[in-house]
Amino acid sequence: YKKSGKYTATLTISNARGCSKTITKTVEVITQQNVILVSSDITVDTKWESKNIYVLTGTAFIYVKNNATLTIEPGTIIRGEPAALVITRGSKIIADGLPNKPIVFTSNKAAGQRAPGDWGGLLMLGNAKVNCPGGECTVEGGLDPVLGKYGGQNDADNSGILRYVRIEFAGIAFQPNNETNSLTLGGVGSATTIEHVQTSFGGDDAFEWFGGTVNGKYLMAYKTIDDMFDTDFGFTGNVQYALGISDPNLADISGSNAFEADNDAQGSTNTPQSQSIFSNVTIIGPRENSSSTFNTNFRRGIHLRRSTKESLVNSIVGGFPTGVRLESANSENYF
């Protein structure tokens, strides 16, 4: 057997009198996969194959750099222990899974022992516009001050493909007030494809956009600890068809929201101004009915603050203690 799966064999036995009996036997075969430890940065075009399991280890961050492209086959499993994978400016990730063969980023702990924040998550950094002074920012989470920069002047920048990808048990505080998310998108351009991506059991935000113009479709935030969809630093992309589901027992001390939106940390009107549009979204918060019990750190379904122009249309948000909070005079005026 070269591949894992279920195999069925049928044997028919006949005698001279014409009597026969058919025996069918099904066995499940699990072949042993090679485990490859990844502890060094990726500096040349590299392909990860589904016959292997890749473990991100050795340092806090594994960088894909020097304009290299990391291609990952459908069905490949990548485990963090606890390193994050960072796609730097100019480099690409081609993680183009299939509905029946998703690409899975997960914890390196054994099944049943995994927990939110086991590893650092996936970060994609591009050359699209951001509103930080000088036109570039350094992503939070304690990254290298050079390799962790994102932003530029190319709104049509291409950082690759994420399609049919699941990211689970990610998002970790490498430094106080410096956390990575399940999926971090910093200055990612509109030529990048983000579709059919699920984050599960994240230790911080499920999805966070720091500026950029990338669009997204079919995104799912499942039982993340902090915010589901967080936007900052001039994000102007569009997201359509998204689902967020809370775990009533999992929330962050900073206050967990479905949407948290800012223009920047100072509340300025620096351009490009955050003006993303989320359409066709369903949010299922922690509160099923008036007698439901849930973690008291849950806050708002929609928190529009610090000069954001974000829009949410044709969507349903339910189950949070507060539906909408508008914070700052600018956000109120834009609303």
Side-chain angles (χ1 to χ4, degrees), residues 221 223-224 226 228 243-251 256-259 282-289 292-295 298-302 316-323:
K223 296 188 177 182
T224 195
D226 201 1
M228 297 177 180
L243 173 64
I245 299 177
S246 300
D247 184 328
N249 301 310
L250 293 177
S256 297
N257 311 297
F259 290 90
T282 300
I283 298 295
I284 301 173
R287 184 177 186 177
E288 183 178 357
N289 53 52
S292 297
T293 59
F294 53 90
N295 190 306
F298 279 103
R299 295 291 188 265
R300 303 116 189 159
I302 307 168
I316 296 173
V317 179
F320 276 81
T322 298

Side-chain angles (χ1 to χ4, degrees), residues 8-294:
T8 301
T10 301
L11 175 65
T12 300
I13 303 172
S14 300
N15 62 16
R17 297 179 181 180
C19 298
S20 64
K21 183 176 182 179
T22 300
I23 302 171
T24 300
K25 178 69 173 178
T26 299
V27 295
E28 183 171 5
V29 176
I30 300 176
T31 60
Q32 183 67 38
Q33 289 179 285
N34 297 319
V35 175
I36 296 178
L37 302 182
V38 181
S39 58
S40 301
D41 294 341
I42 296 168
T43 59
V44 297
D45 292 353
T46 301
K47 185 175 183 178
W48 288 354
E49 301 174 294
S50 59
K51 66 181 182 181
N52 303 318
I53 293 175
Y54 298 86
V55 179
L56 308 174
T57 186
T59 63
F61 303 98
I62 303 295
Y63 296 95
V64 181
K65 62 185 185 180
N66 294 356
N67 299 322
T69 296
L70 173 62
T71 302
I72 305 176
E73 282 188 346
T76 303
I77 296 173
I78 302 96
R79 296 177 177 172
E81 192 189 40
L85 181 63
V86 183
I87 314 302
T88 63
R89 288 189 294 187
S91 295
K92 294 181 181 179
I93 181 171
I94 307 297
D96 201 357
L98 298 170
N100 62 336
K101 290 184 178 181
I103 294 167
V104 179
F105 291 84
T106 189
S107 165
N108 196 38
K109 293 182 180 178
Q113 299 178 15
R114 298 167 184 162
D118 275 351
W119 68 289
L122 177 60
L123 299 89
M124 298 174 65
L125 309 179
N127 288 291
K129 292 177 184 175
V130 298
N131 63 21
C132 298
E136 64 178 12
C137 317
T138 301
V139 73
E140 63 183 34
L143 279 75
D144 179 273
V146 175
L147 295 175
K149 287 189 180 298
Y150 63 90
Q153 297 299 313
N154 183 11
D155 281 345
D157 192 32
N158 186 353
S159 293
I161 298 172
L162 291 186
R163 185 157 42 204
Y164 292 108
V165 170
R166 188 169 79 244
I167 304 167
E168 56 189 27
F169 304 106
I172 187 171
F174 284 108
Q175 295 180 0
N177 300 314
N178 251 333
E179 302 90 6
T180 59
N181 308 291
S182 294
L183 179 59
T184 299
L185 300 166
V188 176
S190 60
T192 307
T193 298
I194 309 288
E195 295 181 0
H196 298 282
V197 177
Q198 175 177 335
T199 70
S200 303
F201 309 109
D204 197 56
D205 296 341
F207 298 85
E208 185 160 10
W209 293 262
F210 294 93
T213 56
V214 65
N215 301 314
K217 286 185 177 181
Y218 312 109
L219 307 184
M220 183 174 181
Y222 184 69
K223 296 188 177 182
T224 195
I225 285 184
D226 201 1
D227 306 318
M228 297 177 180
F229 304 104
D230 194 338
T231 55
D232 305 282
F233 295 138
F235 175 53
T236 57
N238 301 318
V239 174
Q240 189 172 24
Y241 312 121
L243 173 64
I245 299 177
S246 300
D247 184 328
N249 301 310
L250 293 177
D252 189 72
I253 192 170
S254 66
S256 297
N257 311 297
F259 290 90
E260 185 172 278
D262 298 276
N263 189 46
D264 61 17
Q266 291 73 40
S268 78
T269 56
N270 289 345
T271 59
Q273 205 158 352
S274 294
Q275 197 169 0
S276 54
I277 301 174
F278 286 77
S279 306
N280 309 103
V281 181
T282 300
I283 298 295
I284 301 173
R287 184 177 186 177
E288 183 178 357
N289 53 52
S290 58
S291 61
S292 297
T293 59
F294 53 90

